[in-house]
Amino acid sequence: MGAKGRTPLRPSAPELVSWDVTSRCNLRCVHCYATAGTEPAADDLGTAEAKRFISELADIGVFQLVLLGGEPFLRGDILTLIQYARACQLDVGLSTNGTLITPEVARQLADLGLNGVQVSIDSSRAEVHDQFRGVPGSWRKATYAARLLAGMGCKVIVATVITRLNIDDLPEMARLSAELGASEFRTVRFIPVGRGGAAANLMISPEQARDGARVLSDLQASYDGKLKVRPDESFPFLVSPGAWRMFCTAGVTTCAVRSNGDVTPCSYFDGPDFVAGNIRGHRFESIWRNSPILYAFREAPLLEGRCRECAFIESCRGGCRAAAWNAHHDFTAPDPYCWLVSRSV
């Protein structure tokens, strides 16, 4: 059936769960969706609660668990939780700002066989990264961590949040990623929620998104076989029509869990209106299968405006729903980064 007549999906379990393991962080990133701070949060899941949650994910057939923050290494039990998740046969990924990675931590991560360790580096220039991350010296520590982890045999992913501060730095970021020994250079779109809500002026324009996608397409070709260049999933098919079939997976095959146990369609849906339930009060499986909030995301396309008639609707299904909500307070609206919509207005 076509997109406009598609039957809602009813997946028995998500393929991937992103979990903010703590709301604590030692940096002050201007883009932070979680508004992470330095003080311990009283409602972060404890070790026993975390293990029960991990066990349930494994029991219902979740494939991958991605551990986020805050900064995960501000949890004293983070390596214990990773080890437990691996023992439960979960594929585990980890995202870190890199500032707390020591040779011993890197060795232990390598031994645990993670799917990937993502290190956030937002510029090839230290001063730009440090400005973005709010703490002097963070670029030096992040690049050290990436090189160290790669040297220990970890699959390192360098992740860059794209803003007006670094949209012209993509070729140099690919070069730096390869130099550090990373396996992958990944770009992440900036969605101004949480602390990032005060920095909406850093969003790139739709035209900059188009040009950036073209640069990334060229980088994919030039680094083929040496470094995987993975653009933000939303729009690369518009550069090479027919070559991509990517769409927003929030609530459909993926979801997010906040540090207090709240389940949301993805990390960028802020506020209580998008909380599908809390794993302290309900089993994750019940929330995933029965939440009206998550079910609404499975009724796609649920799109208004020009997206409904767009030739690419089967490729992107309207792009990122969180970006649409943030821009229009309507998650059936077009993605604000789409230059086709911008061009037609």
Side-chain angles (χ1 to χ4, degrees):
M1 299 177 68
K4 297 180 183 179
R6 186 166 50 245
T7 301
L9 297 172
R10 295 178 181 270
S12 59
E15 295 177 9
L16 182 150
V17 173
S18 299
W19 173 27
D20 293 340
V21 296
T22 181
S23 58
R24 291 183 66 198
C25 190
N26 57 335
L27 300 183
R28 294 287 298 174
C29 305
V30 297
H31 73 289
C32 183
Y33 66 79
T35 319
T38 56
E39 296 301 317
D43 58 355
D44 283 359
L45 297 179
T47 302
E49 292 176 308
K51 285 186 173 181
R52 284 196 297 272
F53 171 52
I54 290 169
S55 293
E56 185 175 359
L57 296 183
D59 288 344
I60 66 172
V62 171
F63 175 67
Q64 186 173 17
L65 175 63
V66 179
L67 306 178
L68 310 162
E71 170 50 46
F73 283 97
L74 287 174
R75 273 195 78 121
D77 61 355
I78 186 62
L79 291 171
T80 298
L81 295 181
I82 295 173
Q83 185 176 34
Y84 186 78
R86 294 293 294 131
C88 290
Q89 303 302 307
L90 284 168
D91 193 60
V92 178
L94 175 73
S95 180
T96 175
N97 62 36
T99 61
L100 302 176
I101 301 295
T102 65
E104 177 57 22
V105 167
R107 184 194 62 77
Q108 292 185 65
L109 290 175
D111 290 344
L112 286 168
L114 275 68
N115 173 271
V117 181
Q118 179 171 293
V119 181
S120 299
I121 304 176
D122 291 308
S123 177
S124 64
R125 303 185 298 276
E127 65 275 14
V128 175
H129 175 94
D130 289 359
Q131 175 188 353
F132 200 50
R133 296 282 162 176
V135 176
S138 56
W139 184 88
R140 175 179 55 81
K141 293 179 179 179
T143 53
Y144 168 79
R147 195 186 303 276
L148 178 64
L149 288 161
M152 291 286 185
C154 294
K155 176 188 174 183
V156 173
I157 302 162
V158 170
T160 300
V161 178
I162 300 299
T163 69
R164 292 182 184 272
L165 297 178
N166 60 14
I167 184 62
D168 296 324
D169 197 30
L170 297 175
E172 283 301 300
M173 276 305 306
R175 179 199 58 76
L176 176 62
S177 299
E179 179 186 304
L180 294 173
S183 301
E184 182 176 324
F185 168 50
R186 177 181 301 174
T187 60
V188 182
R189 63 163 55 205
F190 171 50
I191 299 175
V193 298
R195 186 182 302 128
N201 62 305
L202 292 180
M203 289 179 66
I204 60 174
S205 69
E207 291 72 28
Q208 287 176 309
R210 175 200 61 206
D211 295 344
R214 289 171 176 166
V215 170
L216 289 167
S217 181
D218 290 342
L219 289 172
Q220 285 178 314
S222 60
Y223 280 92
D224 186 34
K226 296 173 286 187
L227 174 75
K228 181 178 181 181
V229 177
R230 181 179 172 185
D232 181 275
E233 287 86 350
S234 302
F235 300 124
F237 63 87
L238 294 177
V239 177
S240 302
W244 298 81
R245 290 292 182 271
M246 293 183 172
F247 57 92
C248 182
T249 60
V252 182
T253 60
T254 64
C255 71
V257 179
R258 296 175 183 164
S259 61
N260 68 348
D262 284 344
V263 179
T264 63
C266 89
S267 300
Y268 293 105
F269 279 103
D270 198 17
D273 292 343
F274 289 99
V275 176
N278 188 286
I279 61 172
R280 282 184 164 127
H282 304 276
R283 287 182 58 80
F284 175 83
E285 180 180 20
S286 176
I287 297 170
W288 174 257
R289 294 186 178 183
N290 302 315
S291 165
I293 291 172
L294 297 178
Y295 183 80
F297 283 79
R298 299 165 193 165
E299 292 183 310
L302 276 180
L303 297 172
E304 301 297 338
R306 291 194 56 84
C307 287
R308 293 182 66 86
E309 306 304 325
C310 180
F312 295 107
I313 190 171
E314 285 289 359
S315 295
C316 78
R317 301 184 194 175
C320 175
R321 298 297 82 211
W325 172 260
N326 182 264
H328 307 290
H329 292 284
D330 177 2
F331 69 87
T332 70
D335 188 313
Y337 278 107
C338 180
W339 56 87
L340 290 184
V341 171
S342 173
R343 186 176 63 190
S344 63
V345 171

